[in-house]
Amino acid sequence: MEFRILNTTTNINDALLDVRKAYRLLADYQQRILELLGFIREELNADYYHQLTRNRLPRNMQGLDVSNNGGQRFLPFNDISVLWLRNTGQEDPVHYHQKNDLLIDVWVRSDTGNGEDHETVESAEQSRSELRIFFFLCVTPQERQYNWYSQVWAKTYYPTLGEVAICDDNPGYLTYGEAICLSTLTDAPSTLEAIKGLRERASIKLGQAI
């Protein structure tokens, strides 16, 4: 079996140095994103609920050497969705929803050109880095136990950005989302301004203060 540790014409030692730098840069970037998410969650007055890692760590490494996406599966933070809840204080907000309760999905879309979710594959230069924030609003509560993740979020396709849609199979719920470029979220003031604008637009679209 013929293989190369890196597909590069660069000197191998220089290439491995770039890899070491990339790992450290990635760790720092992810830490900054975690802090950004915490800041936004507090601003939206929401509570942590769940997360979805689209690149799931493999159970073992068997067969990964002949897989074309083995390396990507070791990047679980890439394209992660973090789910938060904002409710009216009921005892079990995960399963018993009240009118105007929210599930908020923040999709960390660090590379929009990686082909995820059937989107167009683009070069790193053409791609973008953004947060996609979706609001799932309870308009007509169910009169029974109803799970936010498995019965609402997991059964709903993302709407077209900037447009309101009725949640699939859940006519009592509406969803709306926008993308915010990460390059505009450089500090607390810029992030507050971006979230303020998002909330204002979402409130108008959904007919409810977000």
Side-chain angles (χ1 to χ4, degrees):
M1 174 179 170
E2 183 179 349
F3 74 95
R4 297 176 65 185
I5 191 169
L6 289 171
N7 288 320
T8 178
T9 57
T10 306
N11 175 279
I12 185 63
N13 288 315
D14 290 339
L16 290 172
L17 174 60
D18 287 340
V19 170
R20 295 194 296 274
K21 289 180 177 179
Y23 269 118
R24 297 182 187 195
L25 177 62
L26 181 60
D28 184 60
Y29 165 75
Q30 293 183 165
Q31 179 62 38
R32 303 290 179 172
I33 293 297
L34 289 170
E35 294 169 3
L36 174 64
L37 293 175
F39 184 85
I40 294 173
R41 181 181 59 78
E42 291 183 1
E43 180 63 20
L44 293 174
N45 193 30
D47 298 314
Y48 169 79
Y49 170 43
H50 196 54
Q51 77 282 328
L52 172 73
T53 52
R54 291 171 174 81
N55 293 311
R56 298 183 180 180
L57 282 171
R59 287 177 172 268
N60 59 62
M61 298 181 67
Q62 183 176 355
L64 292 182
D65 55 316
V66 294
S67 169
N68 61 4
N69 69 341
Q72 183 175 335
R73 292 184 63 187
F74 284 93
L75 299 173
F77 195 85
N78 192 26
D79 281 312
I80 192 172
S81 268
V82 182
L83 308 183
W84 305 326
L85 293 181
R86 196 173 81 193
N87 56 78
T88 53
Q90 63 267 41
E91 184 175 339
D92 185 2
V94 173
H95 297 99
Y96 293 95
H97 312 160
Q98 299 294 328
K99 181 177 174 62
N100 298 329
D101 280 359
L102 283 173
L103 180 146
I104 304 167
D105 172 1
V106 183
W107 181 3
V108 182
R109 199 79 170 89
S110 296
D111 179 2
T112 62
N114 64 4
E116 182 64 42
D117 203 32
H118 306 292
E119 294 188 27
T120 303
V121 176
E122 297 176 316
S123 68
E125 291 76 15
Q126 295 173 312
S127 184
R128 301 177 307 284
S129 299
E130 59 192 28
L131 295 184
R132 295 186 184 177
I133 302 179
F134 298 90
F135 299 101
F136 295 76
L137 175 68
C138 176
V139 179
T140 305
Q142 299 284 336
E143 296 182 358
R144 57 189 173 92
Q145 181 172 304
Y146 212 68
N147 183 271
W148 264 118
Y149 177 77
S150 63
Q151 294 177 281
V152 180
W153 185 89
K155 292 185 177 180
T156 302
Y157 289 104
Y158 284 128
T160 300
L161 293 173
E163 297 184 10
V164 175
I166 297 174
C167 293
D168 306 87
D169 300 322
N170 290 293
Y173 296 79
L174 298 176
T175 182
Y176 172 82
E178 293 186 13
I180 302 178
C181 184
L182 278 169
S183 65
T184 66
L185 307 177
T186 55
D187 53 23
S190 63
T191 301
L192 287 173
E193 185 66 24
I195 296 303
K196 177 184 177 183
L198 169 64
R199 296 177 76 169
E200 290 174 349
R201 293 186 295 273
S203 296
I204 293 172
K205 290 283 189 176
L206 292 169
Q208 168 62 32
I210 298 301

